[in-house]
Amino acid sequence: MNPTDLDELLRQHAQRWAEVQSPAPLLATAVERARSKRRPRTPYLATAACVLVVLIATATFLWGRRDGTSPAGPAGETGTVVGQYRIVGGPGPGINEAIPGTIWAYSGHRELSALLHARPVAHVNTDSTGEFTLSLAPGQYTLLAAQGRSRTIESSGCGVPVYVQIAASTGTRIDLICSVP
Amino acid sequence: MVPDLRGEDAFTEWVAPHWAAMTHLASRLCGRPIGEDVLQEALTTAWRKRAQFDPQRGSARNRLLALTADQARKAHRRSTRRAESQLIDLPITSPAANRDIDIDHAIRRLSDRQKLAIDLYYFLGLPVADVARVMRCAEGTVKSTLSDARERLRHDLGEDFE
């Protein structure tokens, strides 16, 4: 088959094809459909919005935990406990100085055994001088201090729990002592 | 001069001379049922982007055919992903029905670019320059694409065609 034959063949084929085609759809109807069809929203926007909401919720939650705010207490009805975490004792002449650490607050007055599996309602990191401020809803609490993030619960020594009573809009001062022999 | 296509009537008037060509191209590239969807999608895109039309950059026909080819390519990708089988719409009423079936089968075995070039050049009767604008490539590329397509058709149709 030479090139001219194929060229002519394709033209004839195209002509026969066009002869049997159905007429084009009504343009006015198609334009009306095109006009009324809304542009589909890209799924990326919805995904981005969901991610943003999750990030804001997470940030809010973490910010609240960082501040040591009790989730139970509505604004204006909390009291505060302030104090210092200190290490005291040791072989003579002994030490008595502030140390950095973490203060954990448990609701109610709890025995040592009850603290083992209890979930703290708030926690706060002390500053470099061992000072801390914790906002809590009014009520009774058990405070526990520890150096670093791991809690050690002891009947004597460094991990002794301390009981505190929090009243609304009132500040309570209490120092947490890590006693070393 | 840029036409004012904001109104529905003006838009319809703008599309009307090229509507049949769009319909034929959609039908050629996708067959009848899918081609109708492709045609509607192309028209919807043309409506949505009507403000972007600039006659300095190309004719209305070339733009509308390019939009139709774009939508056909998207539909083809979708149908490939879904592994759909497509019924081929072949005319069997003409005396040369068997020959037409052979030619159509051979055309469908071409690559997408070759098929588009054949459809625009032979079936829509566009000159090479306009085929190049619709395909967004150089005229030389269209000529070589057509040449490659014809070579492959010649090979596929072979001696049996004689």
Side-chain angles (χ1 to χ4, degrees):
Chain A
M1 187 190 313
N2 64 52
T4 313
D5 286 344
L6 181 63
D7 203 60
E8 186 55 34
L9 199 65
L10 286 168
R11 289 184 199 285
Q12 289 172 4
H13 176 68
Q15 196 174 350
R16 284 195 296 275
W17 177 84
E19 285 168 4
V20 297
Q21 288 307 297
S22 359
L26 199 59
L27 177 58
T29 311
V31 171
E32 174 59 30
R33 277 195 205 135
R35 197 180 62 81
S36 59
K37 188 170 181 181
R38 296 189 64 178
R39 185 176 191 158
R41 291 189 175 195
T42 171
Y44 301 121
L45 285 177
T47 308
C50 288
V51 169
L52 193 63
V53 167
V54 169
L55 284 176
I56 290 172
T58 307
T60 307
F61 175 73
L62 292 176
W63 185 260
R65 285 175 66 90
R66 195 187 71 94
D67 285 348
T69 306
S70 168
E77 293 185 6
T78 58
T80 54
V81 55
V82 296
Q84 193 178 42
Y85 184 34
R86 306 181 64 78
I87 185 166
V88 175
I95 53 172
N96 183 359
E97 59 187 40
I99 51 172
T102 305
I103 312 300
W104 309 86
Y106 298 84
S107 60
H109 287 181
R110 294 174 184 253
E111 300 298 324
L112 287 178
S113 57
L115 285 177
L116 285 174
H117 303 290
R119 188 182 178 83
V121 294
H123 74 274
V124 66
N125 294 326
T126 68
D127 61 17
S128 58
T129 63
E131 293 283 346
F132 66 89
T133 302
L134 196 54
S135 297
L136 294 166
Q140 295 179 325
Y141 293 91
T142 302
L143 300 184
L144 188 69
Q147 297 181 58
R149 303 277 299 179
S150 58
R151 284 165 280 171
T152 306
I153 303 168
E154 299 171 324
S155 58
S156 64
C158 217
V160 182
V162 176
Y163 303 124
V164 65
Q165 177 76 38
I166 301 294
S169 305
T170 305
T172 304
R173 176 152 192 105
I174 188 163
D175 289 342
L176 298 171
I177 306 298
C178 172
S179 178
V180 291
Chain B
M1 181 182 164
V2 180
D4 183 3
L5 301 175
R6 282 174 295 182
E8 191 175 325
D9 291 342
F11 178 77
T12 306
E13 199 174 319
W14 179 67
V15 173
H18 318 296
W19 185 235
M22 289 174 71
T23 307
H24 278 180
L25 183 60
S27 182
R28 280 298 308 165
L29 294 175
C30 300
R32 191 175 292 165
I34 299 174
E36 287 174 7
D37 293 341
V38 164
L39 187 65
Q40 183 63 55
E41 284 300 318
L43 190 70
T44 304
T45 309
W47 168 264
R48 200 182 292 145
K49 297 184 175 178
R50 63 195 186 282
Q52 297 173 15
F53 173 66
D54 180 2
Q56 303 282 341
R57 295 170 59 192
S59 68
R61 181 185 64 177
N62 290 349
R63 177 172 172 78
L64 291 168
L65 291 178
L67 290 174
T68 308
D70 286 346
Q71 292 300 326
R73 191 166 51 245
K74 289 177 185 172
H76 181 67
R77 278 201 211 114
R78 284 196 296 268
S79 65
T80 304
R81 278 202 296 268
R82 280 183 265 152
E84 285 179 350
S85 59
Q86 183 184 329
L87 296 176
I88 299 172
D89 185 21
L90 294 171
I92 54 170
T93 53
S94 75
N98 288 336
R99 174 180 296 184
D100 286 338
I101 289 172
D102 286 342
I103 296 173
D104 248 332
H105 279 164
I107 290 174
R108 284 173 193 282
R109 283 196 291 269
L110 296 174
S111 72
D112 288 347
R113 294 284 290 177
Q114 289 172 342
K115 186 174 183 314
L116 179 59
I118 289 284
D119 288 338
L120 291 169
Y121 185 72
Y122 288 103
F123 288 79
L124 269 70
L126 264 58
V128 170
D130 284 353
V131 175
R133 288 193 188 93
V134 172
M135 293 179 70
R136 300 185 183 98
C137 62
E139 289 184 35
T141 308
V142 172
K143 286 176 186 170
S144 63
T145 305
L146 283 171
S147 174
D148 291 346
R150 279 191 290 256
E151 185 59 40
R152 188 165 167 185
L153 287 174
R154 200 171 291 119
H155 175 268
D156 282 2
L157 294 171
E159 297 301 321
D160 293 342
F161 197 77
E162 293 296 331

